[in-house]
Amino acid sequence: MDANQRKALNGIIKETLKNLEENGFEAAYVNDRNELLNLIRTIIPENSTTASGGSETLIETGVMDYIKTKTEYTSDRKEAFAVQYYLASANALTIHGELYEVDGRGNRVAAMLFGPEKVIVIAGINKLVLDLREAVERVKTKASPPNCIRLDKSTPCVKTGRCVSPYFDDRHLSALGCTSDGRICSNAVIFSRQMVKKRIMVIIVGEEYGY
Ligand code: SF4
């Protein structure tokens, strides 16, 4: 990315942070993985209770290692509802300050919606999109196919590299045609204006992480 592209991206990040805050999220920006880990250590003290959704971003940034080794981490999906800090990554983050998250089982979006005292969502710059249409298309073309490959699913996208139903219109939105038991795109949530202010914190990292 050259200086002009970086300047344009900075404008998008600034607007996204402002809109997240207007929507009741806590929002922060860090330049890189090291700044992210320093911030996470400040927010989440050692010995806190934590849980997380499955996330390549958390693994790649080292956040998963921190919460698994330095905090009281649970991988029990029901215990996760009672922890102090729940960590997840964004499937897509719109410039309007909305999170778009898609789950197979639903435990991750359920915990993000209700339960844990604080939810921290980490989003690399590759997760930034203009609007919800782009968010849906991003998940179907860039996020879910590699995730299905990573998880060794037998879904149509594993064979073709893209969703069997990759568009936004009302026929394709819920991915008609994907009847696989391994489907990971079953429960989609848009996190928009928040009633409980600052319960969800979104941290944008100025690097690319995850799918
Ligand atoms: S709906 Fe099915 S085919 Fe489409 S991305 Fe999700 S798992 Fe893959």
Side-chain angles (χ1 to χ4, degrees):
M1 186 183 304
D2 69 16
N4 297 320
Q5 289 171 308
R6 174 51 73 170
K7 194 169 178 185
L9 178 62
N10 287 346
I12 289 170
I13 291 169
K14 194 173 168 191
E15 186 172 351
T16 305
L17 291 169
K18 176 177 77 66
N19 288 332
L20 281 167
E21 286 177 350
E22 283 181 2
N23 281 345
F25 297 93
E26 191 173 358
Y29 174 78
V30 292
N31 285 304
D32 55 31
R33 175 182 180 277
N34 287 335
E35 285 188 16
L36 173 66
L37 285 169
N38 286 336
L39 179 60
I40 289 292
R41 288 189 198 102
T42 306
I43 298 169
I44 307 176
E46 293 190 9
N47 303 321
S48 309
T49 56
T50 63
S52 74
S55 163
E56 270 299 297
T57 296
L58 296 182
I59 294 169
E60 291 171 13
T61 55
V63 171
M64 188 69 90
D65 183 58
Y66 173 73
I67 59 175
K68 282 193 169 175
T69 59
K70 299 293 186 185
T71 71
E72 289 183 34
Y73 179 87
T74 180
S75 53
D76 185 286
R77 294 187 179 104
K78 289 189 176 167
E79 284 179 11
F81 286 93
V83 299
Q84 292 170 284
Y85 300 96
Y86 190 85
L87 285 291
S89 54
N91 290 137
L93 170 59
T94 76
I95 199 169
H96 306 299
E98 302 148 323
L99 283 169
Y100 181 64
E101 306 282 355
V102 184
D103 268 13
R105 190 184 299 262
N107 58 292
R108 180 185 62 136
V109 290
M112 291 176 73
L113 283 165
F114 185 80
E117 290 171 30
K118 185 85 177 174
V119 175
I120 298 173
V121 180
I122 296 167
I125 50 173
N126 48 318
K127 304 297 181 70
L128 290 168
V129 294
L130 181 62
D131 54 21
L132 289 169
R133 173 186 291 269
E134 267 192 32
V136 170
E137 289 171 352
R138 178 180 198 287
V139 169
K140 290 172 179 234
T141 58
K142 294 182 180 157
S144 291
N147 261 320
C148 283
I149 292 168
R150 175 177 69 91
L151 297 167
D152 198 24
K153 301 287 187 182
S154 56
T155 52
C157 57
V158 167
K159 298 187 186 79
T160 63
R162 71 180 185 116
C163 184
V164 70
S165 187
Y167 309 112
F168 185 82
D169 59 62
D170 54 2
R171 174 167 171 74
H172 296 92
L173 186 57
S174 70
L176 291 180
C178 179
T179 54
S180 167
D181 288 341
R183 173 170 162 164
I184 65 170
C185 313
S186 299
N187 303 289
V189 176
I190 299 163
F191 293 81
S192 54
R193 201 165 188 85
Q194 295 295 289
M195 185 173 280
V196 182
K197 306 298 180 201
K198 298 191 174 183
R199 174 178 169 268
I200 301 181
M201 179 180 193
V202 180
I203 305 174
I204 301 175
V205 190
E207 296 175 322
E208 295 195 6
Y209 287 106
Y211 303 132

